Amino acid sequence: MIKRLGVVAGTALATAALALTAAPPATADPFFKPRSTHSSYAECQQAGQAGADLWGLLYKCEPFPGRPDVYVLSVRI
């Protein structure tokens, strides 16, 4: 009985450790929400300016991680 409890506790601990190591790092800005993707920085800026009536002047265009040909428009929430 005690051996079974040890196995169950060990499995639960290993699962929790795996979940923590597999979680993505919290590097995203909590105040900005991704809105759309664009093929160039200029296109992203135009979309940000065109939607300024909806989300105001607080937006940013950043390259998508690992894809230098894609830009993400993020707006302030």
Side-chain angles (χ1 to χ4, degrees), residues 10-40:
T11 303
L13 183 61
T15 304
L18 181 63
L20 288 175
T21 58
T27 58
D29 191 344
F31 301 110
F32 284 86
K33 179 178 98 174
R35 180 75 179 178
S36 59
T37 58
H38 303 277
S39 60
S40 70

Side-chain angles (χ1 to χ4, degrees), residues 6-7 10 13 29 37 45 47 50 52 65 68 72 77:
V7 170
L13 183 61
D29 191 344
T37 58
Q45 286 291 326
V72 178
I77 52 174

